[in-house]
Amino acid sequence: MWFKGSILFLLVTFLAVSHAYKLRFIQMTDLHGWIYGHSRQPRVFNATIADIVAFQHEWCRTDEKPHLPECITFDSGDLIEGTGLSDSTEPGGTYIFQFSEHLNFTANTIGNHDVFSTESAKWLEAHLSLFPNYVTTNFYTVSTDRTFGRRYRMHTTESGFRVLFFGFIYNYDNVDRTSYYIRDAVEVMNDDDIVQLLSDGQFDMIISLCHIGTDSPLVKGIVSKIREFTLKPIIMATGHTHRFRHSDCIDVDGNSVENCTVIEAGRYMEHLALYELDFEADVNGVYHWVSKPELIGGLEQKLTTDFLGNLVGKSDIRQDWHWRAERLMGLVDDALEEQHIFREVGYLPKRYFAKEYFTEDDSVSYFWLQKVFPYSIKPMISYTEGNDEYVFFFNTLDARADLYKGMNTYDDLYSSFCFDIPLWNIFTLNGLTPQEVYYAVEKKEWKDVIPLPEKNPHYAPSTWYSDMDPGKHYTIAAAQYNMNRFVRNLDAKFPDRTFSPNNTHYRMFYAFYDTVHSYHNPPKPFPWYTIYVAIGIVVVIAIVGLVMLKPKSKREIFTYARIEEHL
């Protein structure tokens, strides 16, 4: 009897183990080169890429720690463009791509900034061995007519749990179309191989890496397509909009989707989406998480070394720092020094904020429109055009970080405006009426009154539309990729005309640098020593005066009298 009981116990134990899994997840997105901490906010976000590597070795199963749950680490795109170390090289992003290899992604996908520069995209394509699990389900290379990376990826954990990865990017229209193209993410899900893959169901869960905003219809469409074939768990790992958020999945009909969650992991290595899930199979063998994913640290989490350390029983993750992390940080520090990232550029008399309204004089957009444009850009373009009025358009989404009062470094400038690549030459288009200017930028018909918007417009002008003189013509100036969009709008509106912008061969970043470097000079320190000298002179004069005015004693008077008598 005891023998049968033992067999039954072992059988139940085996079934329980074989139908239950525990996994840990490390999710990130939109790093934009912020791999070496935030020097301007060291108490808020001080963790580096080396700290994450150290954390992986402490929190995840390794040969040294076989008792820990297995980890799945993934990223939803935009590794580059956003800091000095990312964008001071040519092509941009080479350091960041190489250092990110050390994160050992289970899977990662492409973002628009990874391919904004064709040179950076081609460098990544040639070095894709850095990321052997790169998944780009709807991003293709023209020359091969195949996906840039893997079409999808099946990852099987050591314990046998199968995770199917997809990788999507939104319908980004500024990619170099001679080299790459993007297919609609939802349409791709109808391809025969994807349909067959989902129909076979040889996986236990799906993680969809989406360089797509959480609220996008594309996300809802992908979820709905997957649900046509399977009820298995889905994690929609979104990105692009730089928000740290977590919600239930919604399908195209607006209904909540069970066994599915959407997590967007923020930006700039300010957060990590960390969570742990237990999976159990139902009678049909379909896995479900025992409870919904909960972000460790919640949405108030800040990525610091003490936060990571506390999760592994340390006061700080750098306590007994793992040797791999220490070596990686040494390589990063060497690169920072080699590129002179923290070299001082120039002094600013006030702080300019990235997220404020463009008409407010303490916003980064205002600084570009009212300081950089008239000081650096306009003198470069004015001699090439006629007598038009000039209007500069700044893409307010490019104001990515604050500028600081006092001395600013190369890293501050690159972090605030991250595009030092040839594509960002300044282009001009002349001879436009105010109505044509408005249509080129907003793709809308002119109105008699165009009120200022309540929040930043996508493209902010140095002269507001209502202030333009209808009797004059205007030359508009903008970065090339913005100007390309303006010209496409005009070509569609006026097919019988030709709109040919002029390239000034003057990079936007150079204009930014010139303004900060030359337009604002640090104030000379007050010569405090002059006060000390003046005080010293006054003291000496006072002492001499007191001596001269001091009354003579009787002895002194007697002595003088004797001398006179003797003479």
Side-chain angles (χ1 to χ4, degrees), residues 161-202:
F161 193 78
R162 299 163 301 175
V163 182
L164 174 61
F165 283 96
F166 292 114
F168 297 105
I169 186 173
Y170 71 99
N171 299 326
Y172 173 57
D173 61 1
N174 278 303
V175 69
D176 177 4
R177 299 180 187 184
T178 64
S179 301
Y180 307 105
Y181 67 95
I182 298 170
R183 293 180 58 203
D184 183 84
V186 178
E187 291 180 4
V188 164
M189 299 298 287
N190 293 318
D191 287 356
D192 291 342
D193 61 328
I194 301 295
V195 170
Q196 187 65 51
L197 180 70
L198 294 173
S199 299
D200 291 344
Q202 300 300 308

Side-chain angles (χ1 to χ4, degrees), residues 77 113 211 215 256 286 354 364 417 429 445 461 466:
H113 283 273
H211 196 74
D215 299 326
S256 180
V286 175
V364 173
F417 180 81
L429 186 63
E445 297 297 336
S466 296

